[in-house]
Amino acid sequence: MGNVSFGSSVWVEAALLSNTYYMGPPSLGGQVKLGLNSMKMTVKREISRALSLAAPGLLVSALLAGCATPPPKTDTADYQAYQQQNDPLEPTNRVFYTVNDKLDTYAMKPVAQGYVDITTQPIRDHVGNFITNIGEPARWANFMLEGKPTDAGTAFVRFLVNSTIGIGGIFDPAASLGYPETDTDFGMTLAIWGIPAGPYLYLPVFGPSGARDVWNLPVEYFATPMKIAPASGALTDFSYAETGLHLVNTRAAYIGPIDQVKATALDPYATFRSLYRQSRDSELQLINERDTPVPNPWAHE
Amino acid sequence: MYLRRLLLGALAFAPVVAAMPSFAQAALVPADAAKAFITQSGQQLVSVVNSGASTSQKADELRQLVNNIVAVDQVGDYVLGRYLNVASADQHAQFLSLFHQLLSYNITFQIKAYQGLNFVVNGVKPMGNDMVVDTTITSPGKAPADVGWAVDEVDGQPKIVDVIVAGTSLRITTRNDYASVVTDNGGQVSALLKAMQTQITKIAAAQ
């Protein structure tokens, strides 16, 4: 898990994986329990479908419910600050922040804490490597769309090396060979295509996002090897287990930073908003930095 | 007509443009000096954290260290941002005093969880008006953290003006945090001071 930023993106990570919510109970020892019966699966699939259908409706009603009142344009300094903040849906966003915060306090964090208690840092690192590796094909595709050939090549080599020498991605030998992980997603692709970040959005369950980054959700849903491979019961189980493990492992990595923000920030909502935006900006910067142009061998002097 | 206006405009701004690079260069601390300063500060930090002293004693020593190596007043003014012009002289002084306390509390909160701290200085690169020294902080049972320290010259001495973790700047984050409190309370700086005071009382009660 290369890019550990202050907690703000945990819920985003969750969002990326949100086929459904399956988390192994902490008593499973963080191990993946495969083999749910198909009955349970169907029910879960139905629930997740219902949720995904309900989400846009919820969102629209929420959008209509609460908008921030902009300060008068004559008050230039305040108006500029409002523009810069770019959070016209703040009242609604804050409601969802409170909901997610409760969800985190009573569900995600205790599970993550239990997971930390029964695992060691090296185990969590290997889990992180494994999950990162599964994401490499999607990263490769996004880098291609972004027109970043070097980054795309790196993602390709990483997937190849780590899936084989790295034993299915549990180890990350590619990084020591000079191919470090560079994160990207469809939101970054849109950014590179020149689409501005747009107003800030705080989504129920998924967390910090924005008018541009929210498009990452539907794309990421279909962009894992598990979705592309032919459907099978075992693969679906694996996908659920991987989703749960990803959620817990990521939340575990952020226990310290999130506690820190909650304990020290005067306004945690605004702090997470700032951290989310900075972390997206820095991700974009890193994509550009790492994609050093390859000299054109056919170029005339 | 248009061209003349453009030329006149350009002429009017020429001194500003000319002054800018020299201003930027004057503020930059030499790379070696910044690196040496962070190495030394890191050693002091490690010796305090890893010492056998009690938690409260460590907290006191950390507070002292922070005041020595961090340009707290300058960071405070940066964090207050545009409200620096709104605040009265009294409010400004009160803000800085509260900011000193909160910063020490926050740093102590972060550091006290570490034991067997190890601090490695990697490289140094200029960023804006500051020199950023990249370090890796490790402690047993925790994932290593890459932390960048922005160093600037204050009163002829190198001082820490920002902490950067995974591309996020502590002073920008704090500025946005505090600005949100002020805007939510109709642009009143007094609301920020009150929130800071409440926070200090809360932390003091928890310790």
Side-chain angles (χ1 to χ4, degrees):
Chain A
M1 304 301 297
N3 195 4
V4 175
S5 62
F6 293 110
S8 59
S9 58
V10 170
W11 288 107
V12 181
E13 290 279 347
L16 306 184
L17 301 154
S18 61
N19 311 5
T20 184
Y21 256 79
Y22 171 69
M23 275 175 254
S27 59
L28 286 179
Q31 282 179 350
V32 178
K33 191 188 175 192
L34 295 170
L36 289 169
N37 60 45
S38 61
M39 177 74 179
K40 256 185 183 168
M41 241 165 56
T42 323
V43 171
K44 283 213 170 81
R45 201 175 290 154
E46 286 309 313
I47 292 173
S48 76
R49 184 171 299 163
L51 269 178
S52 65
L53 286 176
L58 254 175
L59 203 66
V60 170
S61 58
L63 297 187
L64 295 172
C67 285
T69 323
K73 277 189 188 172
T74 43
D75 189 350
T76 324
D78 268 355
Y79 188 72
Q80 273 177 2
Y82 175 82
Q83 290 277 340
Q84 200 190 352
Q85 199 159 290
N86 202 359
D87 191 2
L89 300 175
E90 189 174 336
T92 314
N93 284 340
R94 277 188 188 271
V95 171
F96 289 141
Y97 172 78
T98 314
V99 172
N100 282 11
D101 190 41
K102 288 271 180 293
L103 209 65
D104 182 68
T105 310
Y106 295 107
M108 285 300 286
K109 196 192 163 190
V111 173
Q113 190 62 58
Y115 171 75
V116 169
D117 291 345
I118 52 172
T119 53
T120 61
Q121 187 58 45
I123 292 179
R124 295 194 289 278
D125 288 346
H126 291 312
V127 170
N129 288 339
F130 177 74
I131 290 159
T132 303
N133 192 52
I134 288 180
E136 290 298 355
R139 256 170 243 135
W140 169 80
N142 273 308
F143 283 136
M144 291 300 275
L145 290 172
E146 287 162 17
K148 303 284 171 196
T150 313
D151 285 340
T154 303
F156 184 75
V157 170
R158 281 181 58 79
F159 188 64
L160 215 64
V161 171
N162 288 348
S163 300
T164 51
I165 305 170
I167 318 178
I170 298 169
F171 296 89
D172 186 5
S176 30
L177 291 174
Y179 297 97
E181 185 209 346
T182 309
D183 206 3
T184 192
D185 51 55
F186 193 62
M188 284 288 113
T189 301
L190 292 176
I192 287 165
W193 288 354
I195 295 168
Y200 182 68
L201 286 179
Y202 196 98
L203 304 177
V205 182
F206 303 150
S209 189
R212 179 192 67 210
D213 292 342
V214 76
W215 293 102
N216 193 34
L217 300 184
V219 171
E220 205 79 7
Y221 181 85
F222 293 106
T224 67
M226 286 85 83
K227 280 276 170 252
I228 291 158
S232 80
L235 202 64
T236 314
D237 283 351
F238 172 77
S239 175
Y240 285 147
E242 194 263 347
T243 300
L245 196 60
H246 189 163
L247 281 173
V248 176
N249 198 64
T250 309
R251 181 62 184 87
Y254 290 120
I255 286 181
I258 291 183
D259 281 355
Q260 161 101 16
V261 170
K262 285 189 186 167
T264 60
L266 299 181
D267 182 355
Y269 169 83
T271 304
F272 281 127
R273 180 176 61 199
S274 171
L275 288 169
Y276 175 74
R277 285 195 171 139
Q278 288 185 62
S279 129
R280 293 298 280 176
D281 286 348
S282 113
E283 206 176 299
L284 189 60
Q285 207 183 335
L286 199 65
I287 290 172
N288 288 323
E289 257 172 37
R290 294 234 172 117
D291 194 76
T292 40
V294 181
N296 182 355
W298 298 293
H300 289 288
E301 284 300 309
Chain B
M1 184 67 187
Y2 181 71
L3 184 71
R4 198 174 67 184
R5 198 182 296 163
L6 194 75
L7 282 174
L8 281 173
L11 263 179
F13 274 96
V16 181
V17 177
M20 269 163 70
S22 61
F23 172 74
Q25 274 165 9
L28 216 55
V29 178
D32 288 344
K35 213 169 162 176
F37 167 64
I38 292 299
T39 309
Q40 196 198 354
S41 306
Q43 281 162 356
Q44 287 173 303
L45 184 74
V46 168
S47 71
V48 172
V49 174
N50 293 350
S51 76
S54 69
T55 314
S56 64
Q57 201 181 336
K58 268 189 199 178
D60 280 345
E61 285 175 29
L62 275 175
R63 247 164 252 164
Q64 220 172 342
L65 182 63
V66 166
N67 282 327
N68 282 337
I69 61 176
V70 179
V72 186
D73 285 354
Q74 281 71 16
V75 178
D77 284 351
Y78 180 90
V79 164
L80 195 54
R82 65 193 192 86
Y83 297 109
L84 192 60
N85 302 323
V86 181
S88 68
D90 268 0
Q91 282 178 324
H92 183 213
Q94 205 192 338
F95 169 81
L96 284 181
S97 146
L98 291 168
F99 187 71
H100 268 265
Q101 292 180 56
L102 267 182
L103 191 73
S104 332
Y105 274 132
N106 291 353
I107 289 174
T108 321
F109 180 93
Q110 197 163 25
I111 298 285
K112 76 175 178 200
Y114 285 88
Q115 264 299 331
L117 196 72
N118 190 26
F119 189 96
V120 182
V121 175
N122 304 321
V124 55
K125 59 174 188 294
M127 196 197 268
N129 285 344
D130 311 323
M131 267 293 172
V132 176
V133 182
D134 287 319
T135 63
T136 304
I137 300 174
T138 50
S139 89
K142 283 196 164 68
D146 290 326
V147 182
W149 308 86
V151 179
D152 202 356
E153 203 174 85
V154 176
D155 302 331
Q157 293 289 320
K159 296 265 178 180
I160 295 168
V161 290
D162 197 7
V163 182
I164 297 148
V165 180
T168 59
S169 139
L170 188 63
R171 65 178 171 184
I172 293 178
T173 310
T174 314
R175 169 139 92 171
N176 292 339
D177 178 18
Y178 286 18
S180 171
V181 177
V182 180
T183 10
D184 280 355
N185 291 283
Q188 295 296 315
V189 176
S190 57
L192 173 66
L193 299 176
K194 204 174 145 207
M196 290 169 87
Q197 188 58 62
T198 313
Q199 178 79 354
I200 290 171
T201 319
K202 197 176 91 185
I203 300 171
Q207 274 183 347

